[in-house]
Amino acid sequence: MGKDQLNVEEGDCLEPVSPTGQYLNSSVLSLCIIAVLDSEFPLRDLPIFALLKDVFLPINPRFSSLMANDENGVKHWRKVEVKLEDHVKIPIFPPELSPETYDNHLSDYLSTIAMEQFPHNCPLWSVHVIKYPTSHAAADNPSVPLTFPSRASASNPNLSANSDSIFSTIPKVFGYAFNTVSDFGWSLLKSSFVEDDKSLIRSGDPGVEFKPVVISTMTFSLDQIKQIKTKLGVTINDVITGTIFLGTRLYMQGKVGGSSKLKNEQSTALVLLNTRAVREYKSVKEMLKQGAEKTWGNQFAFLHVPLPELSSAESCNPLDFVRKAHKLIQRKRNSGAVFLTGRFLECLRKYTGPEATAKYIHSTLKNSTMGITNMIGPVERVAVANYPIKSIYFMVVGSPQSLVTTMVSYMGKLRVAIGTQKDHIDPGKLKSYLENAFRMILEATQDVD
């Protein structure tokens, strides 16, 4: 995002910037999202300007607004006229190369735009049209309508009020209170003072967010993930998080087997959680109404999850990483620390301002080893201007971390993207270890009844 801010002029059409928007576009923290849509067919006659004008801009007023400061330094959105030609980029690559070679060109191009800052005098977005075939292209026709998988979870019979006596409830209450205090206190320490160890996946370099990043992707079958989920009695997130934990530990170890000394550096994954209970879209105007039930803007909190350690340099049980991920995440989700962290960020913004809050979030990211975030994508195939989309992925750039992992589901597949510090992590080897970790977990579940 652009860091230079404009001032509000008299007569401007204003709309307040959400708290999250103020955190993530500040002098100390500037995060951007790169979203990639792989088309089934070559983009020969894509009506990009008509598409942006008639479909994209009307989606949200943010796409045609600038962030500006009023006389009190409070940030607002100012409506402006959008010059579409300033936002559309069409790079030129060498002609008639193989899809695999164009994969490399695309990766280099994404690394380049990840380092760029948006100009402060136009809305904070751009569209890049890549008219070259990569290895992610070809298939069937798009489907209609567009739906998303349900997020409703099955009820847990163990949580039935009738099954708990007062003698079993009291220990749970004390356990909940202890976990809440412990997790929240540890979160404050990790965000403020305690840094993870430097390792093969964490350089600890100052200004790491300004270093070149390489974006790589891999695809996993949701059917296979669900197979593991059912066998182990965990969630889909537990399976993929356990895979990431195992793969990164194996990468840090440098080999799957052998007799080398264990390299179990203290490493923490920072899992981003949405803490809003609302699922449907609400406009800013609706959320700002007096007495509105919906909380204004996006609400989020961080979950500090330590990477499980390898128990042996010679061998390890891959299923242990999924079970440990499940146990760790379940424990932390069931404490009040997530809620307290969200409230703490809001209080910090209220009493010290968005810049101080952004500095705290920057420290939280910097002191951890990796970031993990995910989103649920469409079940059916989607199309843009009648061009069917084969796959989707995204990456968060500008974070002061050497490793960021993102996930999005689409049409029965889970696309995982890894953003790695170019001069510190070997993306090819890390990707290989992650894919191997998933195979190890899948094979190990065959022996589970």
Side-chain angles (χ1 to χ4, degrees), residues 155-169 172:
S155 59
N156 188 342
N158 295 326
L159 297 181
S160 171
N162 296 328
S163 65
D164 285 345
S165 68
I166 189 172
F167 299 104
S168 61
T169 300
K172 289 181 179 179

Tab-separated table of all heavy atoms in Angstrom, residues 155-169 172:
chain	number	residue	atom	x	y	z
A	155	SER	N	-22.588	-30.566	15.819
A	155	SER	CA	-22.607	-30.377	17.268
A	155	SER	C	-21.830	-31.482	17.944
A	155	SER	O	-21.813	-32.633	17.508
A	155	SER	CB	-24.058	-30.386	17.781
A	155	SER	OG	-24.685	-31.615	17.457
A	156	ASN	N	-21.208	-31.167	19.046
A	156	ASN	CA	-20.387	-32.103	19.791
A	156	ASN	C	-21.188	-32.626	20.971
A	156	ASN	O	-21.527	-31.863	21.869
A	156	ASN	CB	-19.120	-31.407	20.278
A	156	ASN	CG	-18.141	-32.391	20.905
A	156	ASN	OD1	-18.498	-33.502	21.272
A	156	ASN	ND2	-16.888	-31.949	21.019
A	157	PRO	N	-21.500	-33.921	20.996
A	157	PRO	CA	-22.299	-34.450	22.081
A	157	PRO	C	-21.621	-34.306	23.420
A	157	PRO	O	-22.274	-34.307	24.454
A	157	PRO	CB	-22.470	-35.936	21.693
A	157	PRO	CG	-21.339	-36.238	20.768
A	157	PRO	CD	-21.090	-34.967	20.024
A	158	ASN	N	-20.295	-34.175	23.418
A	158	ASN	CA	-19.585	-34.018	24.685
A	158	ASN	C	-19.866	-32.688	25.336
A	158	ASN	O	-19.546	-32.467	26.496
A	158	ASN	CB	-18.070	-34.164	24.458
A	158	ASN	CG	-17.711	-35.562	24.006
A	158	ASN	OD1	-18.340	-36.538	24.416
A	158	ASN	ND2	-16.704	-35.654	23.146
A	159	LEU	N	-20.452	-31.726	24.548
A	159	LEU	CA	-20.723	-30.408	25.088
A	159	LEU	C	-22.145	-30.279	25.607
A	159	LEU	O	-22.571	-29.207	25.990
A	159	LEU	CB	-20.481	-29.348	24.011
A	159	LEU	CG	-19.050	-29.262	23.508
A	159	LEU	CD1	-18.943	-28.163	22.456
A	159	LEU	CD2	-18.075	-29.016	24.636
A	160	SER	N	-22.879	-31.381	25.629
A	160	SER	CA	-24.259	-31.339	26.091
A	160	SER	C	-24.323	-30.955	27.551
A	160	SER	O	-23.553	-31.445	28.384
A	160	SER	CB	-24.910	-32.708	25.888
A	160	SER	OG	-26.172	-32.755	26.516
A	161	ALA	N	-25.249	-30.063	27.866
A	161	ALA	CA	-25.380	-29.602	29.246
A	161	ALA	C	-25.752	-30.744	30.172
A	161	ALA	O	-25.396	-30.755	31.351
A	161	ALA	CB	-26.436	-28.497	29.316
A	162	ASN	N	-26.488	-31.747	29.652
A	162	ASN	CA	-26.941	-32.835	30.492
A	162	ASN	C	-25.820	-33.791	30.869
A	162	ASN	O	-25.938	-34.567	31.800
A	162	ASN	CB	-28.046	-33.626	29.774
A	162	ASN	CG	-29.280	-32.773	29.549
A	162	ASN	OD1	-29.595	-31.895	30.346
A	162	ASN	ND2	-30.003	-33.050	28.451
A	163	SER	N	-24.734	-33.741	30.092
A	163	SER	CA	-23.655	-34.693	30.334
A	163	SER	C	-22.658	-34.186	31.358
A	163	SER	O	-21.793	-34.928	31.793
A	163	SER	CB	-22.926	-34.999	29.018
A	163	SER	OG	-22.278	-33.829	28.554
A	164	ASP	N	-22.737	-32.929	31.745
A	164	ASP	CA	-21.781	-32.346	32.666
A	164	ASP	C	-22.403	-32.173	34.044
A	164	ASP	O	-23.423	-31.497	34.198
A	164	ASP	CB	-21.302	-30.986	32.151
A	164	ASP	CG	-20.326	-31.138	31.002
A	164	ASP	OD1	-19.834	-32.260	30.820
A	164	ASP	OD2	-20.097	-30.143	30.286
A	165	SER	N	-21.781	-32.763	35.019
A	165	SER	CA	-22.180	-32.525	36.395
A	165	SER	C	-21.372	-31.367	36.944
A	165	SER	O	-20.408	-30.908	36.327
A	165	SER	CB	-21.945	-33.778	37.239
A	165	SER	OG	-20.545	-34.015	37.364
A	166	ILE	N	-21.745	-30.896	38.117
A	166	ILE	CA	-21.016	-29.784	38.710
A	166	ILE	C	-19.576	-30.154	39.005
A	166	ILE	O	-18.675	-29.328	38.971
A	166	ILE	CB	-21.732	-29.309	40.003
A	166	ILE	CG1	-21.083	-28.007	40.500
A	166	ILE	CG2	-21.688	-30.393	41.087
A	166	ILE	CD1	-21.837	-27.378	41.646
A	167	PHE	N	-19.339	-31.469	39.256
A	167	PHE	CA	-17.988	-31.915	39.591
A	167	PHE	C	-17.069	-31.915	38.365
A	167	PHE	O	-15.857	-31.768	38.501
A	167	PHE	CB	-18.041	-33.322	40.201
A	167	PHE	CG	-18.845	-33.390	41.469
A	167	PHE	CD1	-20.113	-33.943	41.465
A	167	PHE	CD2	-18.337	-32.874	42.660
A	167	PHE	CE1	-20.855	-33.991	42.633
A	167	PHE	CE2	-19.081	-32.922	43.823
A	167	PHE	CZ	-20.351	-33.473	43.820
A	168	SER	N	-17.652	-32.082	37.181
A	168	SER	CA	-16.827	-32.025	35.972
A	168	SER	C	-16.758	-30.611	35.412
A	168	SER	O	-15.821	-30.269	34.699
A	168	SER	CB	-17.391	-32.968	34.905
A	168	SER	OG	-18.703	-32.586	34.544
A	169	THR	N	-17.749	-29.774	35.744
A	169	THR	CA	-17.784	-28.408	35.229
A	169	THR	C	-16.766	-27.515	35.911
A	169	THR	O	-16.085	-26.708	35.252
A	169	THR	CB	-19.190	-27.806	35.402
A	169	THR	OG1	-20.127	-28.611	34.690
A	169	THR	CG2	-19.234	-26.377	34.876
A	172	LYS	N	-13.287	-27.672	34.556
A	172	LYS	CA	-13.233	-27.086	33.218
A	172	LYS	C	-13.181	-25.559	33.292
A	172	LYS	O	-12.486	-24.913	32.518
A	172	LYS	CB	-14.440	-27.539	32.395
A	172	LYS	CG	-14.398	-28.998	31.977
A	172	LYS	CD	-15.610	-29.362	31.144
A	172	LYS	CE	-15.553	-30.821	30.709
A	172	LYS	NZ	-16.729	-31.213	29.905
